[in-house]
Structure formats: structure tokens, C-alpha cells
Amino acid sequence: MSEFKLMEKTLGQILDETVSLYPQNTAFIYTESGLRLTWKEFQEEVDTIAKGLMALGIQRGEKLAIWSPNVPHWISFMFAIAKVGAILITVNTNFRSNELCYQLQQSECENLCLVKSYREHNFLNTLNSFAPEVFTGNRENLHCEKLPHLKRVIYFGDDEQKNLFSVEEIKKLAAAISDEEFQRRQDSVSPYDTVNMQYTSGTTGFPKGVMLSHVNIGNNGFWIGENQKLTSTDTACLPAPFFHCLGCVLGLLADITHGTCSVVMENFNPVQVMTAIEAHKCTSVIGVPSMYLSIVEHKLFKKFDYSTLRTGIMSGAICPIPLMQRVVDEMNMKEITIPYGLTENSPVMTMSTTNETIEDRCATVGKAMPGIEVEIHDPVTNEKLPVNTQGEICSRGYCVMQGYYKNQEATDSVIDKDGWLHSGDLGVLDERGYLKITGRIKDMIVRGGENIYPRELEEFLIHMPDVLDVQVVGFPSRKYGEDIAAFFLTRNNKTIKAEDVRDFCRGRIAWHKIPRQVKTVEEYPHTANGKIQKYKLRELAKELFAQEK
């Protein structure tokens, strides 16, 4: 592995450097459309779109949200946005009206890019439900009551949509921008500018916009690739969504910094992943444990050839040793790696390498990444703790976010005066420097790699008819790692059923956040001072819903 040296480059400069090294190598293969692009072709697409965005009037520091699965325009716009000094906001494709409206409002987003629909969810109809002015007003002078900062909506589809700017229109506008003007704009962009905002939440409040710079995610992506020993001869299968750091940083940026070919899938489907691995002779795959489980347990699993696989990433949830053993033995991923981190850390702080034992891959999450300090601190005193002592996992270095957008109080609550980012997770560092995750200070639930925040759900479900209080916890699930249970206190002890909750949530919050198990109770377990004992509810959920393991 190379010696650490901070890469002070913009994402645009990183891309251009890769293009200069491997111009005719294949950069991207899109499995749904069959589109293949060399690095040079991809660069030309990015630069054309970037010039078009400038001609459209997009300024440095403006924000462009992308609400779309992994279509080709996603990656092209990601780098075009970076080249013009704007900020990409990633939007979960599972979002519904409440979540999308909140994110666009809180981020003060000026531009939205979206597809027509995804998995039977019509995105245009959802946008119309709270911003009808987009479709009825003047697109050159847009005014939305609920989205006062929104200026433009860009459509990723091939058909024409009234009032929306098409990608082809934007490409044609590029002719209005000279190469010199485009270069001046690129030269004005600092590697320390915010380039990416990903929304995440804590145990209290609503989602917060994590501001990440070119240096943050460019360096993190590079070292993630180094830990897998990626090169320009590798071909990586990317089924993880780009709106997550897993797809965007651990996938795209790890590949782009190493000239690795990315086989891009619009969404995860086990058969399509297995087909892509065989057809494109992939050497790497990234995904969460539930993805791997659905592959190795699929009835067609043994019909595909995995002999070209070597490495990859299993991330986002606890990995059981039997599953890891099957992936190593049956998918030939003998050099698979395990990372740990959080969005606020760009995201990876520790990661295993290609030569770890099965035990270290599953019982630990590797060692601190180059250029990053990792320590265990006392959650109360913030003092550094000795090895083999449980405490809060903290990190420091180039990786730490710039802060939460327009939320200094929340920023100060997680980054201390000495620059340490407090993860909210409990862990132990052993004498070898390996980190083991032992629990959570937060109550966050990780369902199939998706972070779910009980407080956000509780504040939503409390509005159900006859509900007095609701407590949301996670319980073990064999398929997803964890799943969601909701315990309700109700008026007149009215029984709340799982279908009642599904009906209330449908179309209003993302499907993966909807509690799968529901229980009406007469009271919650409390401490002597009246605080609800959530750990006892988690134990009860585990006992009641043991069949979900």
C-alpha cells in the first residue's frame, strides 16, 4: 500500500488525471441500457453537461439534488456539478413527499434533477403534490411556495416534460460557454469547497445535511480502493445506490481514483448481479450483507461463474461469520474487505485489507485508514481510553465533515474542540489496532444497510389516530441484520395492527422505514426517574419476534 499523502485535488482534477492515464480504457458499463463509455468519452460527456449547467445560470455554491436510481446521467452530473463548483445533494429513491419536501427545504436547494418514476413510484406526481408551480409556472422564473429557493428542475428521461429542462437541452446550451470560460470556472474551485451533501440523522431531531468537501471524499475513495488493491485492470460490479456513501464513495470514487471499470446497475437484483459478474468478468463487488445473502441463497446461484472475483466490500451492517465464509469460498472473494464509518467521516475510518483472516473480517472492522486517527474515548469525560476498553469511537483527520448545513449546534455536538468526530458508537481497540464494534450510544437501526432513526419515525407515527405514544426499536433479522418494531400506547387501549401502520405510512415515508412488527402495550418499562428503558423494549421485541431472525 502507498504511503499516505493528502491529495489536494478537486473531483474534476481527479477525473481528468485518470482520463489522461487511461483514455481508451472502458470506464463504465451500464447493464440496463448496454451503454459503454471509455474514460475519454465519459470526460467529454461530463464537460459538455458542465458547460450546459453554466449556460443555464448555475453558479458556484448552488446545490443540485439528484433523485434517481443509478442511471448514466447520475454519474455524469455528479462530476459536472463538481467541475462548476456546485454542490451535489443525494436523495434517497425510497423517499416520499414528506421526506423529499423536507430535504429540499432544509438544504435551500436551487436545482432538482429527477427521473419520471422508479419501482412504480411516480416521482413527478410526488413533486407535483407539494410543488405544483414546477409544472404550471414559468420555468425561466420559477416560484414555489413551499420551495422558495428552487430555480430549476432537470429531467433525466428521454420523453419531453413540460416546464422541465431536458439533459439534451442542457448539452445544446454548452455551445454558449467557451473552453476558456469553463477553465476559469474550474480553476476557481477549491479542493476544500463543499461538493457533496448527504442527509443523515441522529437519535433526535430531523435529518441533517452533512457537508463533504472534494478532499473529504476524494481521499477517502482513493484509500478505500487502495485497501482492495484496485487497479486499472479491475472491473467492479456496483449494485449499491449512489445516493448512499456506499455506492458514491466506496464504489464510484474508489473506482475512478484507480481507473477501475465500473459495471453499474440501476438497482440491486441478485440475478442481474450474478449475470453481470459472469458476463463482464468482474473482479470486485460491493454491497451490504443482505445483498450477499440474497445472492448465495438464490436458487440459481450455482449456475453462474464467480472465478474472476477477487475482492470487494461488505458494509453497512454486522456480517455473520457463516455468510462471510460462504462469500469467500463460494463466490471466490478471498480478498473481500470490511469497512466501518459514518457519513460525517466521508465515510470510512477503519477498514480491513485483502489479507485478513475470516475471524478478523467478521469480529473486527479492520484498522484505522491511512491519514485518519481513531481513538476510544470515555463518553462522559472525553478522555482517551486504553486498549481493550469499551468507549465511544472517535476519529480525526482529513475525513471529518465540514459540518451540518445551517446547524452549528448539531455540528458542535459531534465535533469537539480538538477536532475529534464522535461517532455515537461503542467499540474497543485491541493491542494490534483492530477495532471491534460493541454497541451504539445512539438507538439507530441498520436495516439492510439503511440507517433508520427511531426518533424520526416516532415523531411521524405519533400522528396516527388514537395513538398516545410510540417507541420504535430494532430487533435481529436474519435477512436484514435488523428490522423495525413499534410499541404503541393508545387511547382506550385500542389495538394498533401492522396493517394500520402500513396504511398510514404508505406514500408518506420510505417503505424501508415502515415497522414490520407492531405491538400495543399498556405501559413502557421506565427507570425510577421516568425515563423509558428502550433496551428493555429491544429485548421484548427480540423475544416476541424471534421468528424474524
Side-chain angles (χ1 to χ4, degrees), residues 122-261:
N122 191 300
F123 286 12
L124 299 178
N125 288 347
T126 294
L127 180 61
N128 184 61
S129 70
F130 62 86
E133 302 94 332
V134 168
F135 303 93
T136 59
N138 179 1
R139 74 173 188 174
E140 307 293 342
N141 189 23
L142 185 60
H143 293 286
C144 292
E145 182 182 352
K146 289 192 174 180
L147 303 174
H149 294 87
L150 189 65
K151 298 177 183 178
R152 309 168 193 90
V153 178
I154 298 169
Y155 180 54
F156 278 1
D158 294 327
D159 57 315
E160 186 176 337
Q161 291 291 332
K162 183 183 175 183
N163 275 22
L164 307 189
F165 291 94
S166 71
V167 177
E168 286 308 309
E169 281 183 280
I170 291 170
K171 288 181 179 180
K172 288 175 182 176
L173 288 171
I177 303 296
S178 68
D179 290 343
E180 293 74 21
E181 189 177 356
F182 181 41
Q183 190 59 54
R184 284 196 297 273
R185 173 68 75 90
Q186 291 184 80
D187 292 342
S188 72
V189 181
S190 165
Y192 291 93
D193 287 344
T194 301
V195 69
N196 186 296
M197 273 173 60
Q198 306 232 352
Y199 270 73
T200 186
S201 213
T203 53
T204 61
F206 287 90
K208 300 177 285 291
V210 177
M211 297 186 291
L212 301 172
S213 70
H214 299 258
V215 165
N216 284 150
I217 60 176
N219 281 273
N220 208 243
F222 173 78
W223 286 102
I224 290 164
E226 287 290 283
N227 270 28
Q228 297 171 84
K229 296 181 181 173
L230 293 181
T231 71
S232 61
T233 64
D234 280 301
T235 300
C237 182
L238 303 187
F242 296 151
F243 63 76
H244 269 175
C245 279
L246 177 59
C248 183
V249 181
L250 284 78
L252 285 177
L253 288 179
D255 292 351
I256 289 168
T257 53
H258 290 78
T260 297
C261 174

Side-chain angles (χ1 to χ4, degrees), residues 19 62 67 108 130 260 276 284 320 332 335 341 412 437 440 465 504:
V19 173
E62 277 197 32
W67 193 28
E108 301 176 327
F130 62 86
T260 297
S284 167
N332 200 44
E335 298 181 2
D412 293 340
I437 310 299
R440 297 188 186 101
F504 183 78

